[in-house]
Amino acid sequence: MPTLLAPPGRSPSEHGCSASPRCAPRVWLAAGAAGLLLLLALPVIGRLWTVNEAGILINRYTVRQDPSYLVQAQRVLQDASPSPGTSEATPGDGPSFWRTYGAAAAQRPTEEAFERLLGAFFRGRLDRFGLLWLGEVASHTGHWEAAQEVYALIDASNLLIARGDAALDADDPELAWHWYMVAASSIFAAEDRGAGRSGGGSPGQAAAVPENGLQAPEGSRAVPLLRIGRGLLRLDRPQEALPVLERAESEMHADPPGTRERQAIYFSLAQALIGSGRDIAVDEEATLTRVRALIEQALDIDDTGTAHLQAGQSWELAGLHREAIEELQKAVALDPRLGQAYLDLGAIYERDGLTSLARDLYAAGVEHLPTDTALLTARALADWRTLAPREALPALLAAAATDTREPYLFAALGDTYLELGDLENARAAYKEGLLRTPGAPPLRERLTKLLPPSGVTP
């Protein structure tokens, strides 16, 4: 029976290869081929080692939040990455390397990192997550056009919308606008791809089909579009919100979301139409006809206080005060605990000179919502405008006991104390208001008038 191991004492020729000169060239040829393969593989092996080393450093940075690990990872990756001007792919210049490079670069974006990732994009070396990192670095280095083009290749809309919401809450309207527009572009491009309308595109598009974790599920785009549209409305950009909300309405008919979302799409679209009509030449009658239809469609879905509140807000935006009052009165009747309805309706009354009516409305709201800071403040100011100082004082004190930062409340409280001859409490009210809203002009001016000639507050 043949055996793979030669028994002791056999000659080399019996092993299948002779030690004769004829066998030597084949041995050297095999060794040379193996050496050549090893030489060719060295760049790839080196890149794999680099990726592994950088990945460990990034993980340590994530866990320990020690910037030194991130600096080391970026140095390792920078030394191993092709220069920005490289036009041809090289061994080891693959998606896994750029995924790691992008993960590090996104933590501390630089112009050079942007240029290197962009070069990898044009060489077709970025996969889906590489594209995401390129978008992150582009946006954080101010290359918004490039970011918009890259994010259009992947549907990362939920991430982008959340960024817009956060910027809006942080009172950074320009940054919020950028994120919302990039998010809209991302969703529109995803829809076009789904409809088969994507063109040839750039080299990086071959790898740009969205994957799990980077796209919203099919049929769920109405709600993200609504969030973008409402964000743009909050930024007072109705013309840019209009096409987004039009698309949301179209998506809604294809795959309806929940009741509240459908109503919100109708109301938001109506408000975008109204807002756009203020800035561009439109057929006013046709616009109002469509607005009325949208509001009726929304109310047909569900007849609630919140729905009538939104209807009232829409009509007030359109300047149709009678319709707004009717809807807001319905909202209060249907839901007596809907604080915003009291505030909006009361504001209309006050603007029309019906401050006493607004005062009674706010008082009714406070009965249902005794801890609502905005309602307590509105009632206190209405009392101050319509009642004698001693009668207005309790409501002013109740509002001041909340966390309100309304400077005019403390101005009214201080003025009331002055009318009652209480200089010490008047000064204390103005000071408290300035503590809550530093530098507020109405409080600073009043307090200055109370200072003695030396200018030193007693």
Side-chain angles (χ1 to χ4, degrees):
M1 180 176 179
T3 177
L4 295 177
L5 296 175
R10 294 281 180 94
S11 67
S13 61
E14 293 178 284
H15 293 181
C17 180
S18 171
S20 68
R22 288 181 300 173
C23 188
R26 287 182 291 171
V27 174
W28 285 109
L29 184 60
L36 179 61
L37 288 174
L38 179 61
L39 186 64
L40 292 173
L42 281 177
V44 178
I45 295 171
R47 287 291 171 84
L48 290 174
W49 180 267
T50 299
V51 168
N52 182 63
E53 182 183 3
I56 292 172
L57 289 168
I58 293 170
N59 288 338
R60 287 177 180 172
Y61 165 74
T62 302
V63 172
R64 303 181 188 179
Q65 290 299 298
D66 183 343
S68 65
Y69 290 116
L70 180 61
V71 172
Q72 291 179 58
Q74 290 179 321
R75 187 182 300 118
V76 167
L77 292 163
Q78 198 82 332
D79 292 342
S81 64
S83 63
T86 303
S87 58
E88 295 183 2
T90 58
D93 175 25
S96 63
F97 174 82
W98 290 108
R99 278 199 302 270
T100 308
Y101 183 95
Q107 298 293 333
R108 199 175 64 171
T110 63
E111 280 292 324
E112 185 174 2
F114 168 70
E115 294 294 339
R116 289 178 185 266
L117 283 165
L118 191 63
F121 169 74
F122 284 117
R123 294 194 301 276
R125 310 305 286 173
L126 299 186
D127 62 6
R128 300 167 181 87
F129 284 98
L131 289 169
L132 177 65
W133 295 131
L134 172 56
E136 293 288 277
V137 173
S139 59
H140 284 91
T141 52
H143 297 278
W144 286 104
E145 289 186 8
Q148 187 159 323
E149 291 182 18
V150 171
Y151 279 123
L153 302 177
I154 54 177
D155 190 350
S157 55
N158 287 334
L159 169 68
L160 303 175
I161 295 168
R163 296 261 179 85
D165 293 343
L168 193 55
D169 292 340
D171 198 24
D172 191 340
E174 183 178 358
L175 182 60
W177 175 75
H178 278 303
W179 284 124
Y180 287 136
M181 297 306 289
V182 170
S185 176
S186 175
I187 295 178
F188 289 171
E191 289 181 336
D192 290 343
R193 284 195 299 271
R197 291 195 291 269
S198 58
S202 58
Q205 283 183 303
V209 179
E211 66 180 13
N212 290 340
L214 290 182
Q215 78 176 109
E218 285 296 322
S220 68
R221 295 190 180 103
V223 174
L225 287 167
L226 168 63
R227 291 175 61 195
I228 297 170
R230 295 178 85 169
L232 291 171
L233 286 176
R234 287 178 62 192
L235 291 170
D236 196 23
R237 291 179 174 266
Q239 288 178 286
E240 289 165 333
L242 187 56
V244 175
L245 292 166
E246 294 274 16
R247 188 78 74 103
E249 184 191 22
S250 175
E251 285 283 327
M252 176 182 69
H253 292 308
D255 189 354
T259 298
R260 289 187 178 181
E261 288 80 9
R262 297 202 309 276
Q263 283 186 321
I265 288 172
Y266 282 131
F267 285 127
S268 299
L269 181 53
Q271 291 170 16
L273 282 165
I274 294 166
S276 298
R278 295 199 310 254
D279 303 319
I280 58 176
V282 296
D283 184 339
E284 183 177 352
E285 189 60 35
T287 299
L288 287 177
T289 298
R290 189 178 179 205
V291 167
R292 193 176 299 277
L294 288 167
I295 292 174
E296 290 175 355
Q297 285 175 291
L299 293 174
D300 285 343
I301 293 175
D302 196 13
D303 188 35
T304 63
T306 301
H308 286 284
L309 168 61
Q310 293 180 81
Q313 290 171 333
S314 300
W315 286 128
E316 178 62 13
L317 184 64
L320 298 178
H321 306 309
R322 180 177 59 81
E323 288 87 343
I325 289 172
E326 289 177 357
E327 292 296 340
L328 291 169
Q329 287 174 338
K330 290 178 183 177
V332 169
L334 284 169
D335 188 353
R337 295 182 58 81
L338 197 58
Q340 193 62 48
Y342 292 101
L343 294 170
D344 289 352
L345 182 55
I348 296 175
Y349 287 157
E350 290 195 71
R351 191 191 58 239
D352 291 344
L354 304 172
T355 308
S356 295
L357 189 58
R359 179 197 66 208
D360 296 340
L361 176 70
Y362 296 142
V366 169
E367 288 183 9
H368 293 284
L369 299 162
T371 61
D372 189 302
T373 298
L375 266 178
L376 286 165
T377 302
R379 183 193 66 171
L381 288 170
D383 280 10
W384 174 67
R385 294 186 183 105
T386 58
L387 299 176
R390 198 166 298 280
E391 294 175 314
L393 186 59
L396 290 165
L397 289 171
T402 69
D403 60 355
T404 182
R405 299 179 61 198
E406 174 54 61
Y408 285 100
L409 172 74
F410 293 96
L413 178 58
D415 291 353
T416 299
Y417 275 125
L418 280 180
E419 291 186 67
L420 294 172
D422 190 340
L423 181 63
E424 182 179 351
N425 275 322
R427 183 180 289 112
Y430 298 147
K431 285 184 175 180
E432 177 62 25
L434 281 172
L435 284 174
R436 300 194 192 189
T437 311
L443 296 168
R444 192 174 63 245
E445 292 166 5
R446 284 168 167 80
L447 192 58
T448 300
K449 291 177 181 179
L450 293 183
L451 293 176
S454 65
V456 179
T457 305

